[in-house]
């Protein structure tokens, strides 16, 4: 989608629809609404007076103007309270307004930036929302017609100089394109996105964007001693891959390295501890953390922060077979620590264990992992927020702040030592599941063992990475959650 911004007069707008956000405090007099009222022979005043236009959130009305100028249709869209703006609410406002018009074969839209919205941060959030709202998950519908999709949106400034928002629009495009890339990968079925194909997508992106890329195959994993990742992969005919992406700017501090680590289980059957059949088709999304890391690295490649970053995606399938790892097995990880397998459906933490150790061995000074790790986290937080926990409060605070800024919010979970007692093993150094109690926390405590002494934070994104139902602002399914969060954290570093 092409997004532009201008300060052209309202009488010159020739888009199929002009979207007008209406706040609860708005009246039809003053500013752009007065101009629109004059252009439409009193239509604006009329619909306000009748109560058809309201500022209530997501309340919308589409009107045909029948005027002599270029204006064809007006969509008045309820924006809620003007004083309660957040980046997330603005993204959702723009996305919901655009989605309201989907299915009408409108090729071009205009969006009025009223005085409330003429701010760089707000314009970026709105532009991101437009691009995120326009994507659907119907990749394999045979009746898809690209000619009917929205191709252009123009933001119209009410009073400010449009030129000051061009960079905000460009940054929004970088962010949203990466999120939609991650969403596309997550939407793909497991027979299309295998570990090998996920690695190929990452390598293609790296070549296009100027990142270094290394793909570690199973033979090298065996040489390195990645027994945890290989243990999970053993049951599948699809070989595992460890994807390594590097951003190495010439002027960056060589002593600092941020590692982004993603769980890339391209399909999770649960293995021998097999999942119920109902809903298992959604387990194609178990690589959502890996997709988010790939998307975040694309943003980093384009915006070029002056800090070294390594992206690691541990990609595998978790399948049952005569070769599959079993409950009761003991795996030796890359770190040398031994792991008792008590549940083969707790596989994500196993592949991450070796990826975390690899990051430590590469000299990482900060590690952030992202994973669709536990159903327990979904029970606790739903799809509204992801969980964060870790060993370094400054890192966690940075992620909490980045989440609020970019619209991917987090909630911190505790990491008290007592939770680690639940994953003690009689036969090995640790067991891979502590049972139902504090499941999201004990999964994080397991990962903590493999982060060494490096500042580490864990993001359990199992809830918000996938919407079970369609939202006013986003299609059902993949959200790309974590992509902007991790990139925004890196971009917030003083070196940037």
């Amino acid at each position: 989608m092409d997004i532009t911004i201008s300060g052209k007069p309202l009488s010159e707008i020739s888009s199929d629809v002009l979207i007008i956000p209406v706040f609860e405090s708005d009246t039809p007099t003053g500013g752009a609404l007065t101009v629109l009222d004059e252009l439409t022979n009193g239509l604006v005043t009329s619909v306000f007076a009748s109560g058809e236009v309201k500022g209530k959130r997501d309340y919308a009305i589409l009107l045909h103007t029948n005027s002599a100028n270029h204006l064809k249709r007006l969509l008045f869209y309820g924006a809620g309270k003007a004083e309660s703006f957040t980046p997330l609410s603005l993204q959702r406002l723009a996305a919901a307004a655009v989605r309201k018009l989907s299915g009408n074969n409108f090729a071009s839209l205009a969006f009025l930036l009223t005085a409330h919205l003429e701010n760089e941060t707000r314009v970026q959030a709105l532009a991101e929302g437009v691009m995120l709202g326009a994507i659907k998950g119907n990749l394999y519908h045979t009746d898809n017609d690209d000619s009917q999709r929205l191709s252009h949106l123009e933001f119209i400034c009410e009073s400010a100089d449009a030129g000051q928002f061009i960079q905000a629009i460009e940054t929004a495009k970088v962010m949203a394109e990466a999120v939609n890339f991650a969403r596309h990968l997550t939407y793909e079925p497991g027979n299309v996105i295998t570990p090998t194909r996920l690695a190929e997508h990452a390598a293609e992106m790296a070549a296009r964007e100027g990142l270094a890329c290394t793909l570690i195959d199973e033979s090298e994993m065996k040489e390195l001693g990645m027994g945890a990742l290989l243990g999970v992969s053993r049951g599948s005919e699809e070989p595992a891959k460890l994807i390594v992406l590097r951003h190495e700017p010439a002027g960056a501090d060589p002593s600092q390295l941020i590692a982004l680590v993603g769980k890339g289980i391209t399909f999770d059957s649960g293995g021998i501890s097999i999942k119920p059949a109902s809903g298992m088709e959604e387990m194609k999304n178990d690589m959502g953390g890996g997709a988010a890391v790939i998307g975040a690295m694309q943003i980093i490649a384009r915006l070029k922060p002056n800090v070294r970053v390594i992206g690691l995606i541990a990609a595998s399938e978790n399948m049952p077979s005569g070769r599959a790892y079993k409950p009761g097995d003991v795996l030796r990880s890359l770190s040398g620590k031994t792991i008792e397998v008590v549940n083969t459906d707790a596989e994500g933490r196993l592949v991450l264990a070796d990826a975390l150790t690899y990051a430590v061995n590469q000299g990482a000074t900060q590690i952030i992992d992202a994973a669709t790790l536990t159903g327990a986290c979904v029970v606790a937080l739903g799809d509204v927020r992801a969980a964060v926990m870790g060993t370094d409060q400054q890192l966690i605070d940075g992620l909490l702040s980045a989440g609020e800024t970019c619209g991917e919010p987090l909630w911190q979970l505790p990491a008290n030592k007592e939770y680690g007692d639940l994953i003690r093993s009689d036969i090995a150094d640790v067991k891979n599941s502590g049972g139902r109690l504090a499941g999201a926390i004990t999964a994080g405590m397991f990962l903590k063992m493999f982060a060494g002494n490096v500042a580490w934070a864990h993001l359990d994104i199992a809830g918000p990475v996938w919407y079970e139902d369609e939202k006013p602002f986003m299609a059902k399914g993949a959200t790309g959650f974590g992509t902007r969060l991790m990139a925004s954290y890196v971009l917030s570093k003083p070196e940037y």
Side-chain angles (χ1 to χ4, degrees):
M1 181 195 305
D2 181 38
I3 298 179
T4 58
I5 188 165
S6 76
K8 69 171 55 172
L10 296 177
S11 60
E12 296 181 8
I13 295 173
S14 57
S15 301
D16 292 321
V17 184
L18 172 63
I19 300 169
I20 305 150
V22 180
F23 298 89
E24 291 183 7
S25 58
D26 283 348
T27 65
T29 57
L33 289 178
T34 295
V35 176
L36 281 172
D37 194 50
E38 294 172 355
L39 291 172
T40 59
N41 299 315
L43 179 62
V44 176
T45 301
S46 174
V47 292
F48 265 85
S50 68
E52 294 174 88
V53 171
K54 301 177 182 178
K56 183 179 178 181
R57 189 62 189 269
D58 294 329
Y59 185 93
I61 180 171
L62 178 65
L63 300 173
H64 289 255
T65 65
N66 295 319
S67 59
N69 54 64
H70 294 296
L71 285 172
K72 302 173 185 176
R73 305 171 189 85
L74 305 178
L75 177 71
F76 291 94
Y77 200 88
K81 297 182 184 298
E83 62 271 19
S84 60
F85 285 138
T86 66
L88 179 59
S89 67
L90 290 172
Q91 289 166 23
R92 291 181 172 180
L93 163 65
V98 169
R99 284 177 55 76
K100 188 74 174 179
L101 298 169
S102 65
N104 290 309
N105 299 338
F106 295 138
S108 64
L109 303 177
F111 191 108
L112 179 62
L113 293 174
T114 59
H116 294 303
L117 302 174
E118 291 177 330
N119 167 285
E120 287 186 28
T121 300
R122 294 171 182 176
V123 170
Q124 180 179 330
L126 291 165
E128 287 181 25
V130 166
M131 295 183 68
L132 298 180
I135 298 298
K136 298 179 181 179
N138 55 348
L139 275 58
Y140 293 93
H141 281 196
T142 56
D143 59 353
N144 277 348
D145 183 356
D146 289 343
S147 67
Q148 296 180 359
R149 294 183 179 178
L150 176 63
S151 60
H152 180 75
L153 184 135
E154 182 177 24
F155 285 104
I156 307 296
C157 292
E158 179 178 356
S159 56
D161 175 17
Q164 65 183 296
F165 303 127
I166 291 175
Q167 185 56 54
I169 297 288
E170 293 305 311
T171 301
K173 289 179 182 178
V174 171
M175 292 288 185
E177 285 173 3
V179 173
N180 285 338
F181 178 33
R183 292 171 70 191
H184 183 97
L185 293 174
T186 310
Y187 270 125
E188 288 280 13
N191 64 319
V192 174
I193 293 294
T194 62
T196 297
R197 189 67 188 115
L198 183 65
E200 290 171 352
H201 276 291
E204 290 163 5
M205 181 277 291
R208 182 179 68 245
E209 304 296 343
L211 297 172
C213 179
T214 304
L215 303 179
I216 297 177
D217 63 17
E218 289 194 347
S219 62
E220 188 173 352
M221 290 178 200
K222 290 174 184 176
E223 292 179 11
L224 292 170
M226 293 184 169
L229 176 49
L230 287 169
V232 173
S233 176
R234 205 164 64 206
S236 175
E237 294 293 322
E238 297 286 348
K241 299 285 184 184
L242 180 65
I243 304 163
V244 185
L245 302 168
R246 294 180 184 273
H247 170 71
E248 297 272 4
D253 184 347
S255 68
Q256 300 297 311
L257 176 63
I258 300 174
L260 309 179
V261 182
K263 172 186 171 184
I265 301 295
T266 59
F267 187 78
D268 181 19
S269 70
I272 297 298
S273 308
I274 197 163
K275 294 177 179 290
S278 177
M280 194 193 292
E281 71 278 1
E282 291 186 357
M283 288 301 98
K284 65 182 185 177
N285 72 28
D286 213 16
M287 39 65 72
V293 169
I294 294 171
M297 292 301 292
Q298 177 172 298
I299 293 171
I300 289 164
R302 291 186 180 180
L303 297 185
K304 297 178 171 53
N306 191 32
V307 59
R308 298 170 64 226
V309 187
I310 183 172
L312 302 171
I313 301 93
S316 176
E317 282 188 341
N318 185 27
M319 299 290 285
S321 76
R323 298 180 62 250
Y325 75 132
K326 308 171 294 297
D329 286 359
V330 174
L331 307 176
R332 186 175 298 275
S333 68
L334 176 60
S335 70
K337 293 184 175 67
T338 54
I339 304 165
E340 178 190 7
V341 177
V342 298
N343 186 336
T344 66
D345 194 24
E347 85 298 329
R349 64 203 72 179
L350 296 175
V351 303
L352 286 172
D354 280 346
L356 289 169
T357 301
Y358 188 88
V360 173
N361 293 346
Q362 293 296 302
T365 51
Q366 289 187 336
I367 300 175
I368 303 164
D369 75 71
T372 50
L373 206 62
T374 66
C377 194
V378 183
V379 172
L381 299 176
D383 63 11
V384 177
R385 290 177 181 263
V388 61
M389 60 185 290
T391 58
D392 186 279
Q393 193 59 46
Q394 185 174 359
L395 171 58
I396 292 169
D397 288 343
L399 287 165
L400 288 166
S401 176
E404 294 299 325
T405 299
C406 75
E408 295 184 346
L410 303 172
W411 191 262
Q412 185 173 356
L413 298 179
N416 302 68
K417 178 180 179 295
E418 291 80 1
Y419 290 112
D421 296 339
L422 297 174
I423 51 173
R424 288 181 178 174
S425 168
D426 294 331
I427 192 173
D429 295 324
V430 65
K431 59 185 179 180
N432 77 326
S433 176
R436 292 176 60 84
L437 294 179
I441 298 173
T442 57
M445 296 300 287
F446 176 92
L447 297 176
K448 176 178 178 290
M449 295 185 62
F450 300 90
N453 297 318
V454 177
W456 160 79
H458 160 59
L459 307 173
D460 192 331
I461 63 174
V465 82
W466 188 268
Y467 286 151
E468 294 292 337
D469 300 298
E470 184 176 15
K471 308 286 187 180
F473 51 85
M474 188 170 283
K476 177 181 178 180
T479 69
F481 189 100
T483 302
R484 288 174 296 170
L485 171 61
M486 289 184 282
S488 295
Y489 174 77
V490 171
L491 294 168
S492 74
K493 301 295 289 179
E495 294 85 353
Y496 177 60

